[in-house]
Amino acid sequence: MRNSMIKALLLSSVVGALTMVSGCSTSIAGQWLQQQSVEAYEPVVETTPEPQETSSIGSKEMDVLVEQGPLSPSGKSYGYYDSVEPTYVDGVLLVNKDYALPRSYGSGEDPEAYQALQKLQSAAWNAGYSLPMMSGFRSFDYQEELYNDYVAVDGVEKADTYSAWPGHSEHQTGLAFDVGWVNLQFAYTGAGKWLAAHAHEYGFIIRYPKGKENVTGYQYEPWHIRYLGTELAEKVYESGLCLEEYLGVA
């Protein structure tokens, strides 16, 4: 404000001097002074700069993250399990850490497999052993809850050796059952030995056999049986191979 007043006084003095020397009319000098005074007091209006287009660097990666969404325990997006298709190898449904099931797959135990389980249990009972079903069908969501519970207790690395990620559990097929006693000591019981020797006669295999941990991705589980039908189960049993090896996908 003070600078503006000094500028106006100086301008007035200059105009007065010009009027006296050159004979300019007072009206012309007044108009010029008025114009300069308006300019001196004209407020400065700050303008907001126009938004600039941001760089596209990294946008591709961001699009991938947005499309991918939250990750499941397998490291794949949950959206992956909405569109993945079941994998069949030579007509056999294969589910493991590489081959998944869609989230919506399954609604209970497979009727044929469950009927075969009952025959197996009856035969075991007649032989003097009890093989109660400890676990049957598990949905995607239930398997996720179970897996997360194991992780909370043992951590991810250990849990991955005995618990399947949601979408990668054979229990979701309705063709797999945990029977007898869910403990490694079960293998040394009479019931465990009977199961290992006779499961194939009723269409089942020990899905995760001892010595095949590096192939199946899971520890030895003498209680986990998978239904294949009597003909194929006997072939796999006689081969001494795990299912991945027998199907040629190991």
Side-chain angles (χ1 to χ4, degrees):
M1 177 68 74
R2 181 178 178 183
N3 291 337
S4 299
M5 292 177 64
I6 293 173
K7 183 177 179 181
L9 291 172
L10 291 173
L11 289 172
S12 178
S13 300
V14 171
V15 170
L18 289 173
T19 303
M20 292 174 63
V21 174
S22 61
C24 292
S25 67
T26 304
S27 60
I28 294 176
Q31 292 176 6
W32 184 83
L33 177 61
Q34 183 181 12
Q35 180 181 355
Q36 296 302 314
S37 298
V38 171
E39 291 177 358
Y41 284 96
E42 185 176 357
V44 177
V45 179
E46 295 185 0
T47 59
T48 303
E50 292 293 327
Q52 300 296 315
E53 184 177 355
T54 56
S55 173
S56 60
I57 296 177
S59 62
K60 182 177 181 181
E61 288 78 0
M62 182 58 69
D63 289 343
V64 170
L65 289 175
V66 171
E67 181 179 351
Q68 189 179 55
L71 298 182
S72 73
S74 69
K76 296 181 172 63
S77 70
Y78 281 99
Y80 169 82
Y81 297 96
D82 292 328
S83 59
V84 66
E85 295 292 333
T87 299
Y88 290 86
V89 180
D90 296 334
V92 179
L93 178 59
L94 182 61
V95 180
N96 57 25
K97 290 186 176 181
D98 295 318
Y99 301 100
L101 292 172
R103 181 193 293 267
S104 60
Y105 189 95
S107 58
E109 285 81 20
D110 178 87
E112 181 180 331
Y114 186 69
Q115 186 176 28
L117 174 65
Q118 291 178 312
K119 291 180 180 180
L120 180 147
Q121 290 173 316
S122 179
W125 184 261
N126 291 335
Y129 304 110
S130 176
L131 291 176
M133 184 180 77
M134 307 303 293
S135 183
F137 170 77
R138 299 176 193 161
S139 68
F140 181 102
D141 292 336
Y142 179 75
Q143 184 64 33
E144 181 173 34
E145 292 178 8
L146 191 63
Y147 175 83
N148 287 336
D149 287 343
Y150 288 139
V151 168
V153 174
D154 290 328
V156 173
E157 185 175 356
K158 186 175 180 180
D160 283 350
T161 66
Y162 65 82
S163 181
W165 305 316
H168 295 262
S169 173
E170 277 207 330
H171 285 279
Q172 193 181 343
T173 67
L175 298 168
F177 306 93
D178 291 341
V179 298
W181 182 22
V182 183
N183 188 289
L184 287 175
Q185 297 302 313
F186 174 69
Y188 306 105
T189 66
K193 293 177 181 179
W194 185 94
L195 181 65
H198 299 281
H200 63 282
E201 298 170 5
Y202 301 89
F204 294 93
I205 62 169
I206 304 299
R207 179 64 177 90
Y208 307 119
K210 189 174 183 179
K212 302 295 184 180
E213 292 85 353
N214 290 337
V215 181
T216 64
Y218 297 102
Q219 67 176 22
Y220 173 37
E221 294 189 356
W223 60 82
H224 182 114
I225 57 176
R226 159 70 191 272
Y227 184 72
L228 296 175
T230 54
E231 183 178 352
L232 181 57
E234 184 168 355
K235 290 180 180 179
V236 175
Y237 174 78
E238 293 294 340
S239 73
L241 304 173
C242 67
L243 188 58
E244 282 83 1
E245 292 173 322
Y246 185 86
L247 295 176
V249 295

